[in-house]
Amino acid sequence: MDKLVGPGNAFVAEAKRQLYGQVGIDMIAGPSEVAVIADDSADPELVAADLLGQAEHGPTSPAALITVSRAMADAVIAEIDRQLGDLAKVAGAEVPGAAWRDYGFVLLAADHEDAVRLSDLLAAEHLEVHTDRDDWYLKNLRNYGSLFVGQRATVAFSDKVIGTNHVLPTAGAGRYTGGLSVASFLKTVTWQRIDSDEGVRTVAPHVVTISQADLMPAHEATAAKRLERLARD
């Protein structure tokens, strides 16, 4: 094969790391992560549930709340503690608790513009918006793997049913790349051709000058020899 793409766990990520260079890869994805932007209009029970839902992916999965409201921050933290108590009655529920304890955090933004700034710096893999201005956030947010607009659109819907791509950048990589897409299966190539002697006369003298400044005489010669042939002709 020439390129290896797709989702996986830590073992798949390590395989991609070792094979990169021998073949191409889409990305080396870290632990799954989620961030939720919330204001006073949000439902703290749903925000807490969504943070813990993605923390369930693994004990090292980051879960972040970005909010413009201290009251919302306090309410979500309390609600997470309450829901973890409920989850403790279920087998396997120790995973989201460990993730929240070690990798969960809350960022208190000064205002909505600051919330966008913090979110774009974080560039979370999964980003939810629970506010009274969801369309404004949709327009202004730039860095994320996949965006879930409004409290109806929990990440788990996309995990299990909706079908949007879930091979997404993690650990801040959303600042410079998107997730797996049709573009991942395309390759950009370039070509050039000079169709006239005038083209050579236009380009070659500059190549000679730059190559001399770079102390690259072999490069200089490729341009100079073409100019010599034009002079002879």
Side-chain angles (χ1 to χ4, degrees), residues 134-200:
D134 294 342
D135 288 339
W136 180 86
Y137 275 98
L138 175 61
K139 179 179 178 180
N140 286 278
L141 288 165
R142 291 292 177 266
N143 299 336
Y144 49 80
S146 191
L147 181 63
F148 301 80
V149 182
Q151 67 177 5
R152 295 183 182 87
T154 179
V155 178
F157 286 173
S158 182
D159 280 339
K160 306 299 184 182
V161 176
I162 291 177
T164 48
N165 170 44
H166 252 58
V167 184
L168 301 168
T170 62
R175 293 192 300 269
Y176 57 82
T177 189
L180 183 67
S181 71
V182 66
S184 303
F185 299 88
L186 301 175
K187 182 179 67 174
T188 300
V189 295
T190 62
W191 61 272
Q192 46 268 295
R193 180 171 64 194
I194 295 179
D195 288 325
S196 69
D197 292 342
E198 186 58 34
V200 174

Side-chain angles (χ1 to χ4, degrees), residues 43-56:
D43 183 332
E45 182 179 12
L46 293 180
V47 174
D50 290 359
L51 290 169
L52 292 177
Q54 289 306 297
E56 189 173 46

Side-chain angles (χ1 to χ4, degrees), residues 54-230:
Q54 289 306 297
E56 189 173 46
H57 277 291
T60 59
S61 288
L65 170 64
I66 302 172
T67 181
V68 296
S69 166
R70 183 176 292 275
M72 179 57 59
D74 292 339
V76 170
I77 291 171
E79 184 62 28
I80 285 176
D81 289 341
R82 187 190 70 78
Q83 291 186 29
L84 284 174
D86 292 339
L87 288 170
K89 305 169 187 176
V90 182
E94 66 278 0
V95 173
W100 175 252
R101 181 189 67 237
D102 296 334
Y103 293 91
F105 57 97
V106 176
L107 299 175
L108 185 60
D111 50 33
H112 290 283
E113 287 76 14
D114 191 38
V116 167
R117 183 185 66 83
L118 291 171
S119 179
D120 281 348
L121 285 172
L122 187 61
E125 177 189 19
H126 306 102
L127 177 60
E128 293 187 5
V129 176
H130 297 214
T131 71
D132 61 5
R133 58 189 72 190
D134 294 342
D135 288 339
W136 180 86
Y137 275 98
L138 175 61
K139 179 179 178 180
N140 286 278
L141 288 165
R142 291 292 177 266
N143 299 336
Y144 49 80
S146 191
L147 181 63
F148 301 80
V149 182
Q151 67 177 5
R152 295 183 182 87
T154 179
V155 178
F157 286 173
S158 182
D159 280 339
K160 306 299 184 182
V161 176
I162 291 177
T164 48
N165 170 44
H166 252 58
V167 184
L168 301 168
T170 62
R175 293 192 300 269
Y176 57 82
T177 189
L180 183 67
S181 71
V182 66
S184 303
F185 299 88
L186 301 175
K187 182 179 67 174
T188 300
V189 295
T190 62
W191 61 272
Q192 46 268 295
R193 180 171 64 194
I194 295 179
D195 288 325
S196 69
D197 292 342
E198 186 58 34
V200 174
R201 291 189 182 95
T202 300
V203 174
H206 300 294
V207 175
V208 169
T209 301
I210 293 171
S211 297
Q212 289 172 346
D214 288 339
L215 302 179
M216 301 182 77
H219 278 66
E220 177 189 348
T222 65
K225 291 180 184 299
R226 283 169 170 77
L227 288 173
E228 290 170 2
R229 280 159 175 72
L230 289 179

